[in-house]
Amino acid sequence: MRSLFIRDEIRFTGEQLVSFWAYENYDILGDNIVAFIGPCEVEEKYIVGIDHFKKKTKIKSRRMLHFLVEHFDLDLEKAILRQKLLVDILKDKLNHRLKGDVLQRWGNDLFDTDFKLTVSATLRTSVSTKIHLGINISSKNTPVKTKGLEDYGIDPDDISQAVMDQYRLDMRLIAQRLCKTRSLR
Amino acid sequence: MRSLFIRDEIRFTGEQLVSFWAYENYDILGDNIVAFIGPCEVEEKYIVGIDHFKKKTKIKSRRMLHFLVEHFDLDLEKAILRQKLLVDILKDKLNHRLKGDVLQRWGNDLFDTDFKLTVSATLRTSVSTKIHLGINISSKNTPVKTKGLEDYGIDPDDISQAVMDQYRLDMRLIAQRLCKTRSLR
Amino acid sequence: MRSLFIRDEIRFTGEQLVSFWAYENYDILGDNIVAFIGPCEVEEKYIVGIDHFKKKTKIKSRRMLHFLVEHFDLDLEKAILRQKLLVDILKDKLNHRLKGDVLQRWGNDLFDTDFKLTVSATLRTSVSTKIHLGINISSKNTPVKTKGLEDYGIDPDDISQAVMDQYRLDMRLIAQRLCKTRSLR
Amino acid sequence: MRSLFIRDEIRFTGEQLVSFWAYENYDILGDNIVAFIGPCEVEEKYIVGIDHFKKKTKIKSRRMLHFLVEHFDLDLEKAILRQKLLVDILKDKLNHRLKGDVLQRWGNDLFDTDFKLTVSATLRTSVSTKIHLGINISSKNTPVKTKGLEDYGIDPDDISQAVMDQYRLDMRLIAQRLCKTRSLR
Amino acid sequence: MRSLFIRDEIRFTGEQLVSFWAYENYDILGDNIVAFIGPCEVEEKYIVGIDHFKKKTKIKSRRMLHFLVEHFDLDLEKAILRQKLLVDILKDKLNHRLKGDVLQRWGNDLFDTDFKLTVSATLRTSVSTKIHLGINISSKNTPVKTKGLEDYGIDPDDISQAVMDQYRLDMRLIAQRLCKTRSLR
Amino acid sequence: MRSLFIRDEIRFTGEQLVSFWAYENYDILGDNIVAFIGPCEVEEKYIVGIDHFKKKTKIKSRRMLHFLVEHFDLDLEKAILRQKLLVDILKDKLNHRLKGDVLQRWGNDLFDTDFKLTVSATLRTSVSTKIHLGINISSKNTPVKTKGLEDYGIDPDDISQAVMDQYRLDMRLIAQRLCKTRSLR
């Protein structure tokens, strides 16, 4: 599994959710996790949650650190489980830097009391599953109460590297465990 | 998904890892998570990690809180992902009670600095996948440096209920999310 | 599994076959069976049988009781087997009310001697499988020899409830049986 | 899919449920349905319903017509759906001969009012799924109220051929339908 | 599995890669292999290799013998393995006629030293997987160094029949082997 | 995917077909291909072909070069397709060294006219699929007409390395192709 911190500023509109985005734009072949920084404004046609789609929820943030994961299998449930793991990793890496139990996961989102920090989506494409996880850098001008990495003095570069490394490590350990586990009746 | 805190003291030998254990002993039908308290001494034939099996690792503890999960599908990778989630939930519930970032997950185990608190295994049976997660209550007489719930003044009843509730909630949300997610190309 | 008898008169054009139709229109989340009444005239682009599509078969009826089932898995063969079960349930509920062996299933259709009563289709969407089963209420003005519920004095409300209840019961029993069955070598 | 009416009298003990039984004994390769006549007394180790296994249910009949189906895939849910279809076919062929709505399916069993006629089980082996469906010929000396083919003057040969032919036809139509069905979004 | 040598001259543009092409045009139902002769010029929208799509590779030949395979399952890896088998069969049938070890397979292509003879692609549609394998008849006016059947005096009719027969035989033997193989622990 | 030429002389009895053999004996984790030299005499309980098992076929050779492949997935059909590829690779590497079209594949075996050179089997274990392919080194004292590598002056070391390298290369290309292939409708 490859990873990359992309230096380009990229506006996350949802078009990054389609299959092969990392390959077509950054020549990254196979399962991968990439990170980049940029505003977030998801176009309606890329809103994959049918509940949000129906309510026309606005998914928007001024400046976010984005994680984008692609696995070349077609199992959506597996992707949702990996999404949970990714969100937990981000939480743990942040709490570790904040030296406390500051952030909690509710569903697929991170909160500091009732301040929301993240947006996230998981979906199946015709050839893969993809996970998007965005965490606010700035918490200004957001429609709901939010916090961002700036409010905690967290460096996006450092945290993104820590998260990507841990995610890749966990994926490697899972792949090994699959080849080390006996069955019982 | 059903859950149960079993009041009987049960010695965890590994025989609880076979399929239908919760049904045969406690009439719990379908996907389930149960918890109980008892010593841990895994018999060799129930050691599912082929690496541990080969090295004849002793898996042993004087008194543990055990979680035992059964899902009636056959996807081991999915089970390993759920195991990660269960371990993360236990960690978060403990850290929350300890008001700090005290415990970390390394692979599938929880540590307080270099003190180990847990053992865990995931496997496929002929009809289901199962997860075992045990956390020391007592840390006395263990072969490696360990800590247990007693060292932190944590009540096994309370923590087991919190963990089982959260796990069931996450499973319910995942099942719903599967029915709310559009695909993209 | 949820069910609903929809009180609105709905023209079945095939657009109801796309994924999430019950959620988008009636807030029904997850596997479900719904029923409604209305004319049937399937637009060409919604004809899923490639044989009918090729022959440009007209699928049309003045007034039908429609059943529409959605399961959030992707196994078309399983969906076709569930379709057979649904057709058999409808047949049995009707024969029971007619106190005789009046209707037979040929393939996926119900006949009274050579009078045709039903149309049916099963398909995979990008996230689910769907079954449509329509039974004539009126048998007037149909291109082939048909009969309808009116010809037998059957109340669409009553029969639709009986069919939906039985289908849900069978699905629940199947889900339980999956968690109660041992394997042999 | 091949079929065979086996002329040998065979005591159904459950050993016929293991994989390759039709191949090892009658050289029938691949998916198949066979029928034979004989007493039924299932040994405990072949009782696959964990509920019956736990309650040590006696599964016994003096003389039965047995159907035994093997499909070389591993999907138990699909096998249970096929079992429903097989039971429905048997019911319809009998009701047709009895010129009425005499028998009903409850779950996987056929009843004439509260007289039980059948036993049935479905399971996964290590290479296939199997269905057993037995219908009483004689209703004498059974532990519960039963009826059998003799009570209705039904010839086991004739009915077994009709059932096997219909089951094979339905399987063939399903296989064709799988190759004739377009997907929608 | 059915096969057909199509007598029509057909320009291979890639539109033949969509699902049901053989059924819609030649009434061939189910898994099949067909062959035909014609020029090759793949339109950009039908280039399934994302690497070729990105580089806008021209896939073009003046006159080719085309093989087109469709299997009604959705496993792309299996399709790629079958593609390897098809390419190997073509190679062996040609080498046999050339009485030597003239052609080698590199990846999915056949070469005579550094002269390329074939193009090939495998893909998943919404209902099936498809394989295209084209071998030059003429080697004139190709963008890279190529050879074609004419250069070796090989008759396209004869070779296409030999290849289709062998592929069908191998598929039949594989289907049988699936029903003849025991499992071990 | 790892590979290893094992220097120990090993008698192939079939016990090498069980899961984790390469890990338990040579610490090779994950998908792998290994080769070794030794006599072949398969014990009855390890004969996985139910046809051979029934006929009690003797599978025996004085001295063979053995290939043993393990993939940690459970799809037997995929394993049989990979077996075909492995047999084809062995054939091509031999024919290349023999500078001619000397060996042909019939089913899963290699022949020089009517002299048989190989034995082969594919199976599913509880956690993986495995392929065995053995080619005679000596052709002496075999029950049927055989040839062996000695008859052609082929060095087992050299050929085994060439075969393992090619098989690993093909597996790597297949894994990449899976992540480079777009879908069509």
Side-chain angles (χ1 to χ4, degrees):
Chain A
M1 177 169 215
R2 290 185 56 196
S3 68
L4 181 70
F5 185 89
I6 299 170
R7 293 288 150 195
D8 305 323
E9 177 99 9
I10 298 172
R11 168 180 292 269
F12 186 83
T13 59
E15 71 188 287
Q16 294 82 2
L17 294 174
V18 301
S19 51
F20 299 122
W21 182 84
Y23 181 79
E24 291 194 283
N25 292 278
Y26 297 95
D27 261 319
I28 297 174
L29 181 65
D31 290 6
N32 66 81
I33 180 168
V34 300
F36 53 85
I37 288 173
C40 179
E41 187 159 5
V42 183
E43 293 172 29
E44 200 180 305
K45 67 177 169 183
Y46 293 118
I47 296 181
V48 294
I50 193 77
D51 41 354
H52 301 300
F53 189 77
K54 195 176 166 181
K55 289 181 291 187
K56 300 194 179 304
T57 314
K58 290 283 171 238
I59 299 171
K60 196 169 171 174
S61 170
R62 193 173 179 158
R63 190 172 166 79
M64 277 190 149
L65 170 63
H66 300 277
F67 295 96
L68 199 58
V69 179
E70 184 163 24
H71 288 270
F72 284 85
D73 72 53
L74 294 167
D75 190 322
L76 181 58
E77 190 175 10
K78 217 172 267 185
I80 296 174
L81 286 163
R82 289 188 191 114
Q83 177 191 24
K84 288 255 179 300
L85 180 61
L86 181 63
V87 173
D88 273 330
I89 289 172
L90 177 58
K91 170 179 55 59
D92 291 352
K93 296 298 177 192
L94 288 170
N95 277 340
H96 189 66
R97 277 151 185 75
L98 299 174
K99 298 183 198 310
D101 177 46
V102 177
L103 303 177
Q104 275 86 41
R105 173 175 69 80
W106 298 111
N108 295 317
D109 286 309
L110 295 187
F111 284 83
D112 175 347
T113 63
D114 58 343
F115 293 86
K116 192 168 182 280
L117 283 89
T118 59
V119 298
S120 188
T122 300
L123 68 148
R124 178 170 40 216
T125 75
S126 60
V127 295
S128 60
T129 53
K130 298 203 66 167
I131 306 167
H132 172 246
L133 172 60
I135 182 160
N136 295 318
I137 294 177
S138 163
S139 58
K140 290 186 186 133
N141 293 346
T142 51
V144 292
K145 285 170 70 177
T146 62
K147 289 218 172 181
L149 296 179
E150 284 177 356
D151 299 310
Y152 303 100
I154 298 277
D155 174 36
D157 261 44
D158 161 66
I159 196 77
S160 75
Q161 212 53 61
V163 167
M164 291 195 293
D165 287 353
Q166 181 67 42
Y167 187 82
R168 290 171 67 204
L169 174 62
D170 278 321
M171 289 302 122
R172 194 162 65 242
L173 292 175
I174 289 169
Q176 289 176 3
R177 185 50 56 199
L178 275 170
C179 305
K180 282 199 266 195
T181 302
R182 296 164 61 226
S183 293
L184 295 180
R185 73 157 167 85
Chain B
M1 177 169 216
R2 291 184 56 195
S3 67
L4 181 70
F5 186 90
I6 299 170
R7 293 287 150 195
D8 306 323
E9 177 99 9
I10 298 171
R11 168 180 292 269
F12 185 84
T13 59
E15 70 191 287
Q16 295 81 2
L17 294 175
V18 301
S19 51
F20 299 120
W21 182 84
Y23 181 80
E24 291 194 283
N25 292 279
Y26 297 94
D27 261 320
I28 298 174
L29 181 65
D31 290 7
N32 66 82
I33 179 167
V34 299
F36 53 84
I37 289 173
C40 180
E41 186 159 5
V42 184
E43 293 172 30
E44 200 179 306
K45 66 178 170 181
Y46 293 118
I47 296 181
V48 294
I50 193 77
D51 40 354
H52 300 300
F53 189 77
K54 195 177 166 179
K55 287 182 291 187
K56 303 191 177 304
T57 314
K58 289 284 171 239
I59 299 172
K60 196 169 173 175
S61 169
R62 192 173 180 159
R63 189 170 167 80
M64 276 190 149
L65 170 63
H66 301 277
F67 295 96
L68 198 58
V69 180
E70 183 162 25
H71 288 271
F72 284 85
D73 74 51
L74 295 167
D75 190 320
L76 181 59
E77 190 175 11
K78 217 171 268 185
I80 297 174
L81 286 162
R82 290 188 191 113
Q83 177 191 26
K84 289 254 178 301
L85 180 61
L86 181 64
V87 173
D88 272 329
I89 288 172
L90 177 58
K91 167 179 58 59
D92 291 352
K93 295 300 177 191
L94 288 171
N95 277 340
H96 190 66
R97 278 152 183 75
L98 300 174
K99 298 183 198 310
D101 177 46
V102 177
L103 302 177
Q104 275 87 41
R105 173 175 68 82
W106 298 111
N108 294 318
D109 288 309
L110 294 188
F111 284 83
D112 175 347
T113 63
D114 57 343
F115 293 86
K116 193 168 181 282
L117 283 90
T118 58
V119 297
S120 188
T122 301
L123 68 147
R124 180 171 40 218
T125 75
S126 59
V127 295
S128 60
T129 54
K130 298 203 66 166
I131 306 168
H132 172 245
L133 173 60
I135 182 160
N136 295 318
I137 295 177
S138 162
S139 58
K140 289 183 186 136
N141 293 347
T142 50
V144 292
K145 285 170 69 176
T146 63
K147 289 219 171 180
L149 296 179
E150 284 178 356
D151 300 309
Y152 303 101
I154 298 275
D155 173 36
D157 261 43
D158 160 66
I159 196 77
S160 75
Q161 212 54 60
V163 166
M164 291 195 292
D165 287 352
Q166 182 67 42
Y167 187 82
R168 289 172 68 206
L169 174 62
D170 278 321
M171 289 302 121
R172 193 163 65 244
L173 292 175
I174 289 170
Q176 288 176 3
R177 186 49 56 199
L178 275 170
C179 305
K180 282 199 263 194
T181 302
R182 295 164 61 225
S183 293
L184 295 180
R185 73 156 167 86
Chain C
M1 177 168 216
R2 291 185 55 197
S3 67
L4 181 70
F5 185 89
I6 299 170
R7 292 288 149 194
D8 305 322
E9 176 99 10
I10 297 171
R11 168 180 291 269
F12 186 82
T13 59
E15 71 190 287
Q16 295 82 1
L17 293 175
V18 301
S19 50
F20 300 120
W21 181 85
Y23 180 80
E24 291 194 284
N25 293 279
Y26 297 94
D27 261 320
I28 298 174
L29 182 65
D31 290 8
N32 67 80
I33 179 167
V34 299
F36 53 85
I37 289 173
C40 180
E41 186 160 5
V42 183
E43 294 171 30
E44 200 180 306
K45 67 177 169 183
Y46 293 118
I47 296 181
V48 295
I50 194 76
D51 41 353
H52 301 300
F53 189 78
K54 194 176 167 181
K55 288 182 290 187
K56 301 194 178 301
T57 314
K58 288 285 171 238
I59 300 171
K60 197 169 173 172
S61 171
R62 194 171 177 161
R63 189 170 167 79
M64 274 190 150
L65 169 63
H66 300 277
F67 296 96
L68 198 58
V69 180
E70 183 164 26
H71 288 271
F72 284 85
D73 72 52
L74 295 167
D75 190 321
L76 180 59
E77 189 175 10
K78 216 172 269 185
I80 296 173
L81 287 162
R82 290 190 191 112
Q83 177 192 25
K84 289 254 178 302
L85 180 60
L86 181 63
V87 174
D88 273 330
I89 289 172
L90 177 57
K91 169 179 56 58
D92 290 352
K93 297 298 177 192
L94 288 170
N95 277 340
H96 189 66
R97 278 150 184 76
L98 300 174
K99 298 185 198 309
D101 176 48
V102 178
L103 303 177
Q104 276 87 41
R105 172 175 71 81
W106 298 111
N108 295 318
D109 288 309
L110 295 187
F111 283 83
D112 175 347
T113 61
D114 59 342
F115 294 85
K116 193 169 182 282
L117 283 89
T118 58
V119 297
S120 188
T122 300
L123 68 147
R124 179 169 41 216
T125 75
S126 59
V127 297
S128 60
T129 53
K130 298 202 68 166
I131 306 167
H132 172 245
L133 171 60
I135 181 160
N136 294 318
I137 295 176
S138 162
S139 58
K140 289 183 186 137
N141 293 345
T142 50
V144 292
K145 285 171 68 177
T146 62
K147 289 219 172 180
L149 297 179
E150 285 177 356
D151 300 309
Y152 303 100
I154 299 275
D155 173 36
D157 260 45
D158 162 65
I159 196 78
S160 75
Q161 212 52 62
V163 167
M164 291 195 293
D165 287 352
Q166 182 67 43
Y167 187 81
R168 287 172 68 205
L169 174 62
D170 277 322
M171 289 302 121
R172 193 163 64 244
L173 292 175
I174 289 170
Q176 287 175 5
R177 185 50 55 200
L178 275 170
C179 305
K180 282 199 263 193
T181 303
R182 295 164 62 227
S183 293
L184 295 179
R185 73 158 167 86
Chain D
M1 177 169 216
R2 292 184 56 197
S3 67
L4 181 70
F5 185 88
I6 300 170
R7 292 287 150 196
D8 306 323
E9 176 100 8
I10 298 172
R11 167 179 292 270
F12 186 83
T13 59
E15 71 190 286
Q16 295 81 0
L17 294 175
V18 302
S19 50
F20 299 121
W21 183 85
Y23 181 79
E24 291 194 282
N25 293 279
Y26 297 94
D27 261 320
I28 298 174
L29 181 65
D31 290 6
N32 65 81
I33 179 167
V34 300
F36 53 86
I37 288 173
C40 180
E41 186 160 3
V42 183
E43 295 172 28
E44 200 181 306
K45 67 178 170 182
Y46 292 118
I47 296 180
V48 295
I50 193 77
D51 41 354
H52 301 299
F53 189 78
K54 196 177 165 179
K55 288 182 290 188
K56 302 194 178 303
T57 315
K58 289 283 171 237
I59 300 171
K60 196 167 173 174
S61 171
R62 195 172 178 158
R63 189 170 166 80
M64 277 191 147
L65 169 63
H66 301 276
F67 295 96
L68 198 58
V69 179
E70 183 163 26
H71 288 271
F72 284 85
D73 73 52
L74 295 168
D75 190 321
L76 181 59
E77 189 176 10
K78 216 171 269 185
I80 296 173
L81 287 162
R82 290 189 191 112
Q83 177 192 26
K84 289 254 178 301
L85 180 60
L86 181 63
V87 173
D88 272 330
I89 289 171
L90 177 57
K91 169 179 55 58
D92 290 353
K93 296 299 178 192
L94 288 170
N95 277 339
H96 190 66
R97 277 150 184 76
L98 300 174
K99 297 185 200 310
D101 177 47
V102 178
L103 303 177
Q104 276 86 42
R105 172 175 70 80
W106 298 110
N108 294 319
D109 287 309
L110 294 188
F111 284 84
D112 176 347
T113 63
D114 57 344
F115 293 86
K116 193 168 182 281
L117 283 88
T118 59
V119 298
S120 188
T122 301
L123 68 147
R124 180 171 40 217
T125 75
S126 59
V127 297
S128 61
T129 54
K130 298 202 67 166
I131 305 168
H132 171 245
L133 171 60
I135 182 161
N136 295 317
I137 294 177
S138 162
S139 57
K140 288 183 188 136
N141 293 346
T142 51
V144 293
K145 286 171 66 177
T146 62
K147 291 219 171 181
L149 297 179
E150 285 177 356
D151 300 310
Y152 303 100
I154 298 277
D155 173 35
D157 260 44
D158 161 65
I159 196 77
S160 75
Q161 212 54 61
V163 167
M164 291 195 293
D165 287 353
Q166 182 66 43
Y167 187 81
R168 289 171 68 204
L169 174 62
D170 278 320
M171 289 302 121
R172 191 162 67 244
L173 292 175
I174 289 170
Q176 287 175 5
R177 187 47 58 198
L178 276 170
C179 305
K180 281 200 263 193
T181 302
R182 294 164 62 227
S183 293
L184 295 178
R185 74 155 167 86
Chain E
M1 177 168 216
R2 291 185 54 198
S3 68
L4 181 70
F5 185 89
I6 300 170
R7 292 287 150 196
D8 305 323
E9 177 100 8
I10 297 172
R11 168 179 292 270
F12 186 83
T13 60
E15 71 190 286
Q16 294 83 0
L17 294 176
V18 301
S19 49
F20 299 121
W21 182 85
Y23 181 79
E24 290 194 284
N25 292 278
Y26 296 94
D27 261 319
I28 298 174
L29 182 65
D31 291 6
N32 66 81
I33 180 167
V34 300
F36 53 85
I37 288 173
C40 179
E41 186 159 4
V42 184
E43 293 172 30
E44 200 180 305
K45 68 177 170 183
Y46 293 118
I47 296 181
V48 294
I50 193 77
D51 41 353
H52 301 301
F53 189 77
K54 194 176 166 181
K55 288 182 291 188
K56 302 193 178 302
T57 314
K58 290 284 171 237
I59 300 171
K60 196 169 173 174
S61 170
R62 193 171 178 160
R63 190 171 167 78
M64 277 190 148
L65 170 63
H66 300 277
F67 296 96
L68 198 58
V69 179
E70 183 163 25
H71 289 270
F72 284 85
D73 72 52
L74 294 167
D75 190 322
L76 181 58
E77 189 175 10
K78 217 172 266 185
I80 297 174
L81 287 162
R82 290 189 191 112
Q83 178 192 26
K84 289 254 178 301
L85 180 61
L86 181 64
V87 173
D88 272 329
I89 289 171
L90 177 58
K91 168 181 55 61
D92 291 353
K93 296 298 177 190
L94 288 170
N95 277 340
H96 190 66
R97 277 150 184 78
L98 300 174
K99 297 183 199 310
D101 176 47
V102 177
L103 303 178
Q104 275 87 41
R105 173 176 68 82
W106 298 110
N108 295 318
D109 288 309
L110 294 187
F111 283 83
D112 175 347
T113 63
D114 57 344
F115 293 87
K116 192 169 182 282
L117 283 88
T118 59
V119 298
S120 189
T122 300
L123 67 147
R124 180 170 40 217
T125 76
S126 59
V127 296
S128 61
T129 53
K130 298 202 66 165
I131 306 168
H132 171 245
L133 171 60
I135 182 161
N136 295 317
I137 295 178
S138 163
S139 58
K140 287 181 189 138
N141 293 346
T142 51
V144 293
K145 287 170 69 177
T146 62
K147 291 217 171 183
L149 296 178
E150 284 178 356
D151 300 308
Y152 303 101
I154 298 276
D155 173 35
D157 260 44
D158 160 66
I159 196 77
S160 75
Q161 212 52 64
V163 166
M164 291 195 292
D165 287 352
Q166 181 67 43
Y167 187 81
R168 288 171 68 204
L169 174 63
D170 277 321
M171 288 302 121
R172 194 164 64 245
L173 291 175
I174 289 170
Q176 288 176 3
R177 186 48 57 198
L178 275 169
C179 305
K180 282 200 263 192
T181 303
R182 296 164 61 226
S183 292
L184 295 179
R185 73 155 167 88
Chain F
M1 176 169 217
R2 291 184 56 195
S3 68
L4 180 70
F5 186 90
I6 300 170
R7 292 289 149 193
D8 306 322
E9 177 99 9
I10 297 172
R11 168 180 292 268
F12 186 83
T13 60
E15 71 190 285
Q16 294 83 1
L17 293 175
V18 300
S19 51
F20 299 122
W21 182 84
Y23 181 80
E24 291 194 283
N25 292 278
Y26 296 95
D27 260 320
I28 298 174
L29 181 66
D31 290 7
N32 67 79
I33 179 168
V34 300
F36 53 85
I37 288 172
C40 179
E41 186 160 5
V42 184
E43 294 172 29
E44 200 180 305
K45 67 177 170 183
Y46 293 118
I47 296 181
V48 294
I50 193 77
D51 41 354
H52 300 300
F53 189 77
K54 195 176 166 181
K55 289 181 292 187
K56 301 194 178 303
T57 314
K58 289 283 171 240
I59 300 171
K60 195 168 173 174
S61 171
R62 193 173 179 159
R63 189 170 166 80
M64 275 190 150
L65 170 64
H66 301 277
F67 295 96
L68 198 57
V69 179
E70 183 163 26
H71 288 271
F72 284 85
D73 71 53
L74 295 167
D75 189 322
L76 181 59
E77 189 176 10
K78 216 172 268 184
I80 296 173
L81 286 162
R82 290 189 190 112
Q83 177 191 25
K84 288 255 178 302
L85 180 61
L86 181 64
V87 173
D88 272 330
I89 289 172
L90 177 58
K91 168 179 57 60
D92 290 352
K93 295 299 176 191
L94 288 171
N95 277 340
H96 189 67
R97 277 151 183 77
L98 300 174
K99 298 182 200 309
D101 177 46
V102 178
L103 303 177
Q104 274 87 41
R105 172 175 71 80
W106 299 109
N108 294 318
D109 287 309
L110 295 187
F111 283 83
D112 176 347
T113 62
D114 58 343
F115 293 85
K116 193 169 182 281
L117 283 89
T118 58
V119 297
S120 188
T122 301
L123 67 147
R124 180 170 39 217
T125 75
S126 59
V127 296
S128 61
T129 53
K130 298 202 68 168
I131 306 167
H132 171 245
L133 172 60
I135 182 161
N136 295 318
I137 295 178
S138 163
S139 58
K140 290 184 185 134
N141 293 345
T142 51
V144 291
K145 283 171 70 177
T146 63
K147 289 219 172 182
L149 296 179
E150 285 177 356
D151 300 309
Y152 303 101
I154 298 276
D155 173 36
D157 260 44
D158 161 64
I159 196 77
S160 75
Q161 211 52 62
V163 166
M164 292 195 292
D165 287 352
Q166 182 67 42
Y167 187 81
R168 289 171 66 205
L169 174 62
D170 278 321
M171 289 302 121
R172 194 163 63 243
L173 292 175
I174 289 169
Q176 288 175 4
R177 186 47 58 198
L178 275 170
C179 305
K180 281 199 265 193
T181 303
R182 294 165 62 227
S183 292
L184 295 179
R185 73 156 170 88

